[in-house]
Amino acid sequence: VHDLINQAEMVVDLEAVRENYRRLSVVAGEANCAAVVKGDAYGHGMIPCALALRQAGAKAFFVATANDGVALRAALQEAEIWVLGGFLPEEWEAFVDANLVPVLNSRNQIEEWDKLAGRLGRPLASIIHFDTGMNRLGLLGDDVAWLRQNLPLLSRIPPLVYMSHLSAADDLDFDRCEFQRGAFLSAVSGLPIAKLSLANSAGAYLGANYAFDMVRPGKATFGINPLT
């Protein structure tokens, strides 16, 4: 069995990846279509897939970790690279040297990123993630209230994007999706202006009300049907 595993190969059609991205960009309409290449591009090879997606027009790339961001930066000098896992203080040099932007998922991450901006003496861009029902990552009610009471810190870590993640678009649970959409708009109300992103692969097909400024298709880019 060991020999058979060593002989296994996976062939990835990068033109198919590019074509999937082009089609998703059309679905996104006026919204920016980001490239999500976490998990080694869903097991398809992060670097070759990211290079192919860049050729197809992608400008913003989401990775899972700072280490992935550093590796991607070595291959893509000009792209925007955003780290879904957020920021850990011990990773600060990787973030600064590779020009990575964290998706800040908690009050603690926001505070640590703000401390780094203060230490460096310059603003550091951020993405702020709100949990509207995924129950995995993002700011919840108390954190949102705290953020509203500390708006000056957002001038030190200016948000490029506010984002959330749909939990039930794959299941076509439209009531749940609409609840999350409303919760997202409520969370960002009164905060400094930034772009908005809510739609994942399945959410991209829910229309302009969900596209906002950016859609984030992940698995659909790699030919995986987002609908269960």
Side-chain angles (χ1 to χ4, degrees), residues 163-185:
M163 65 175 267
S164 189
H165 193 83
L166 292 169
S167 64
D170 295 37
D171 303 318
L172 300 179
D173 184 340
F174 299 121
D175 289 342
R176 181 68 176 166
C177 291
E178 194 58 23
F179 170 83
Q180 284 193 257
R181 182 179 177 277
F184 181 47
L185 289 173

Side-chain angles (χ1 to χ4, degrees), residues 115-132:
K115 284 181 193 173
L116 179 59
R119 207 163 78 234
L120 295 178
R122 62 179 175 87
L124 292 175
S126 68
I127 294 174
I128 297 181
H129 187 189
F130 298 90
D131 187 345
T132 59

Side-chain angles (χ1 to χ4, degrees), residues 1-226:
V1 174
H2 184 262
D3 288 340
L4 289 175
I5 291 173
N6 284 342
Q7 292 170 25
E9 290 184 358
M10 181 172 72
V11 178
V12 177
D13 183 344
L14 292 176
E15 179 50 32
V17 172
R18 284 188 287 266
E19 179 61 16
N20 288 341
Y21 176 83
R22 287 190 286 261
R23 293 186 185 201
L24 287 160
S25 295
V26 171
V27 171
E30 295 298 312
N32 180 17
C33 188
V36 181
V37 292
K38 65 181 182 180
D40 198 27
Y42 293 76
H44 295 76
M46 180 179 71
I47 299 299
C49 284
L51 291 172
L53 290 165
R54 185 74 183 89
Q55 291 168 348
K59 295 181 174 65
F61 293 79
F62 283 92
V63 297
T65 66
N67 282 341
D68 284 351
V70 170
L72 187 55
R73 176 62 71 204
L76 286 175
Q77 304 302 317
E78 301 302 318
E80 297 176 280
I81 301 176
W82 299 336
V83 179
L84 287 163
F87 173 67
L88 296 174
E90 59 268 27
E91 298 174 330
W92 75 269
E93 287 179 298
F95 273 89
V96 172
D97 292 346
N99 191 23
L100 309 176
V101 175
V103 175
L104 300 172
N105 297 296
S106 67
R107 174 176 170 175
N108 181 63
Q109 288 188 356
I110 290 172
E111 290 176 326
E112 293 294 344
W113 191 240
D114 180 46
K115 284 181 193 173
L116 179 59
R119 207 163 78 234
L120 295 178
R122 62 179 175 87
L124 292 175
S126 68
I127 294 174
I128 297 181
H129 187 189
F130 298 90
D131 187 345
T132 59
M134 191 69 184
N135 299 320
R136 188 167 64 188
L137 293 169
L139 303 186
L140 292 165
D142 290 347
D143 299 320
V144 177
W146 167 82
L147 190 61
R148 292 185 190 287
Q149 294 162 5
N150 291 274
L151 292 182
L153 75 79
L154 291 181
S155 65
R156 299 189 293 271
I157 55 166
L160 302 174
V161 179
Y162 299 128
M163 65 175 267
S164 189
H165 193 83
L166 292 169
S167 64
D170 295 37
D171 303 318
L172 300 179
D173 184 340
F174 299 121
D175 289 342
R176 181 68 176 166
C177 291
E178 194 58 23
F179 170 83
Q180 284 193 257
R181 182 179 177 277
F184 181 47
L185 289 173
S186 177
V188 303
S189 175
L191 297 179
I193 296 297
K195 292 182 177 179
L196 303 181
S197 179
L198 177 62
N200 52 8
S201 286
Y205 289 89
L206 294 178
N209 281 348
Y210 286 84
F212 291 109
D213 301 296
M214 172 185 289
V215 300
R216 310 187 313 274
K219 58 191 178 184
T221 308
F222 304 100
I224 303 165
N225 185 352

